Amino acid sequence: MIPRRWAHSEPGEYAAVKHWMKEQGPEDDAVIRAWEDRMADYLGLPGAAAVNSGRQGLRIAMEHLGIGPGDEMIVPAYTLGEIMPFIQSLGVTLVPADIDPDTFNITPESVAQRLTGKTRAILALHIFGVPCDIAGIRALADQHGLLVIEDCAHALGATVQGQPVGAFGDASFFSFEVTKMVNTYGGGIVASRNAALVEATRAFNAAEPAGYVTLTRKMDSTRMEQWLFRTRLMYLPLFLLATPSFQPLMNRLYRGSQHTQKKRERYSPAQARLGLRKLESLPERLDLRRKRAALMTSLLRPEIQPQKTPEGALSTCYFYVVRVPGDAAALRRRLLFRGVDARVGNEIMDNCAELLGYEDCPNVRDVFPRALALPMYDGISESACEKVAKTLNKLV
């Protein structure tokens, strides 16, 4: 079976992390600071701070920038639904902006349609690693005195006119969960030109309890998932995931196995060491992903429409998502029986316009049921990409 995802790991990584967890010492803080400085340099920003989850990073950024009760924040109509209640718990009203049907990102025009006297900030997501028109959104925000927070959870290594995403907003946050571009088995980074925000994030992480329970669980669950794929025992849970009556439960379990932090712990020196190691290989890995994505695009039938990357931008190809004619869920089930694991519906992203009670976002309403995320991960082979494209072509 060709899996939908496969966590990147370096040779000997598991043993190295186990060793680092035992070798705690006075240099631990220096290791984390070296990782933060390396990320800041990579993004071309004066400061970055590690945090135990990207979601906590978003919260710290919002609170420090003064986004709170009575404010409206414009968010993408197509994004992770789980983050909505989290933001609303801060007293912020969420207003969805519709997406471009080709890039799946919000646009300056769709954001402008949602501006009111209560608008305080824009959450600019680079969905699936494809940069949004962040320069245009930044210009619109400056014109109206608004804040911009970049959601770069999928986008470490993406660029716009040669400039890394994450460097345009008042703050940005990145995720290092197991399938992200740099996998440190959880955690994230907040980056900003605002030195006080960076220090506040750093202080939050330092105040969290030390420990490796979450890191160990995520490493073990990742190894288990990969073993299930190798032995083909993954077919049963994937079949249940593709069955409508079981899908809600299985989707919660599938997401939760990797994305839910089981225990409050600080971002650790062992994770920082992993980050420093994996950032070095990121350019090579991104180059291979882009080549594999281009290969699949070249092989697909014209009526299968891959997500587009704007001119002058480079995507990370975090997901390879296409719009298919008809019902994507039915195609996913047929792909599974032919040895191709794919994802659809809220396994990819959520129709947050619908979740928030808005019915005037026609593009997300069209994209959501037709979106199909095909296998894409570090090291995927040419033959796997050819099989995926040819199998989907036959089914369509």
Side-chain angles (χ1 to χ4, degrees):
M1 180 191 294
I2 302 172
R4 65 177 73 180
R5 66 183 197 177
W6 194 267
H8 169 250
S9 62
E10 299 283 347
E13 175 176 292
Y14 192 82
V17 174
K18 290 292 187 181
H19 173 73
W20 292 333
M21 286 192 290
K22 295 176 182 177
E23 293 272 318
Q24 299 184 49
E27 74 282 359
D28 285 354
D29 289 343
V31 170
I32 294 177
R33 189 57 182 265
W35 170 228
E36 293 171 337
D37 291 345
R38 181 69 184 89
M39 276 294 299
D41 289 343
Y42 185 85
L43 299 170
L45 290 172
V51 68
N52 53 15
S53 75
R55 193 171 301 184
Q56 288 291 350
L58 171 60
R59 179 190 62 78
I60 295 166
M62 290 178 62
E63 290 180 346
H64 193 82
L65 294 172
I67 306 167
D71 292 332
E72 291 181 353
M73 173 181 271
I74 297 174
V75 298
Y78 194 39
T79 188
L80 184 64
E82 292 174 0
I83 208 169
M84 300 292 107
F86 180 78
I87 298 175
Q88 289 170 322
S89 70
L90 303 177
V92 177
T93 299
L94 299 180
V95 180
D98 205 4
I99 58 171
D100 178 89
D102 294 323
T103 68
F104 308 156
N105 274 311
I106 59 172
T107 67
E109 293 75 22
S110 68
V111 171
Q113 293 174 4
R114 295 304 204 193
L115 296 179
T116 72
K118 295 183 179 180
T119 305
R120 174 68 173 151
I122 303 163
L123 183 64
L125 167 67
H126 306 290
I127 195 167
F128 312 139
V130 171
C132 67
D133 182 0
I134 188 62
I137 291 171
R138 174 78 268 180
L140 178 69
D142 290 343
Q143 180 182 351
H144 293 274
L146 305 176
L147 297 163
V148 175
I149 298 177
E150 288 184 76
D151 182 345
C152 302
H154 305 165
L156 180 58
T159 61
V160 176
Q161 301 296 338
Q163 185 173 355
V165 300
F168 294 84
D170 296 280
S172 59
F173 64 97
F174 295 79
S175 172
F176 303 134
E177 287 293 343
V178 294
T179 57
K180 296 301 193 293
M181 311 316 301
V182 166
N183 164 28
T184 68
Y185 300 95
I189 280 276
V190 173
S192 180
R193 293 179 177 83
N194 186 321
L197 169 57
V198 172
E199 287 303 321
T201 307
R202 192 169 288 141
F204 171 85
N205 189 63
E208 292 285 86
Y212 290 105
V213 173
T214 300
L215 173 58
T216 301
R217 286 175 177 172
K218 289 187 177 182
M219 290 185 68
D220 289 344
S221 65
T222 299
R223 285 158 62 90
M224 174 59 72
E225 179 181 303
Q226 294 179 345
W227 178 81
L228 288 171
F229 269 111
R230 290 190 181 102
T231 59
R232 300 189 177 185
L233 294 175
M234 199 66 175
Y235 266 111
L236 177 58
L238 289 175
F239 175 77
L240 294 174
L241 188 63
T243 303
S245 57
F246 288 99
Q247 194 270 341
L249 172 62
M250 293 303 297
N251 190 39
R252 286 197 299 271
L253 293 173
Y254 201 74
R255 277 183 174 178
S257 68
Q258 300 294 345
H259 295 287
T260 300
Q261 190 155 353
K262 308 296 184 185
K263 182 178 174 61
R264 286 286 293 270
E265 293 169 335
R266 72 184 62 163
Y267 191 81
S268 69
Q271 291 172 291
R273 287 185 169 95
L274 269 183
L276 287 165
R277 178 181 290 188
K278 292 184 175 183
L279 191 62
E280 294 303 314
S281 66
L282 181 61
E284 180 182 353
R285 292 186 285 113
L286 286 175
D287 183 61
L288 182 62
R289 277 181 180 252
R290 290 165 184 152
K291 288 177 179 176
R292 297 295 187 260
L295 173 63
M296 281 208 285
T297 297
S298 72
L299 295 173
L300 290 173
R301 294 166 61 100
E303 60 266 42
I304 302 169
Q305 302 169 322
Q307 180 188 17
K308 291 184 179 179
T309 301
E311 186 176 353
L314 281 177
S315 171
T316 63
C317 304
Y318 172 63
F319 283 177
Y320 184 85
V321 181
V322 300
R323 281 182 297 158
V324 295
D327 180 23
L331 276 173
R332 189 271 290 275
R333 289 191 291 273
R334 296 169 69 191
L335 282 168
L336 181 60
F337 287 120
R338 289 160 177 80
V340 176
D341 180 27
R343 69 183 86 189
V344 298
N346 58 14
E347 297 169 53
I348 308 174
M349 280 292 177
D350 294 292
N351 181 348
C352 289
E354 182 177 75
L355 294 177
L356 292 169
Y358 286 76
E359 299 180 356
D360 55 350
C361 293
N363 291 337
V364 72
R365 190 167 61 245
D366 175 67
V367 167
F368 182 76
R370 296 173 56 201
L372 180 71
L374 300 173
M376 180 55 60
Y377 47 85
D378 287 328
I380 190 171
S381 66
E382 285 189 5
S383 60
C385 292
E386 290 168 355
K387 177 181 177 179
V388 170
K390 291 176 181 178
T391 303
L392 182 58
N393 284 341
K394 289 179 182 178
L395 295 176
V396 168

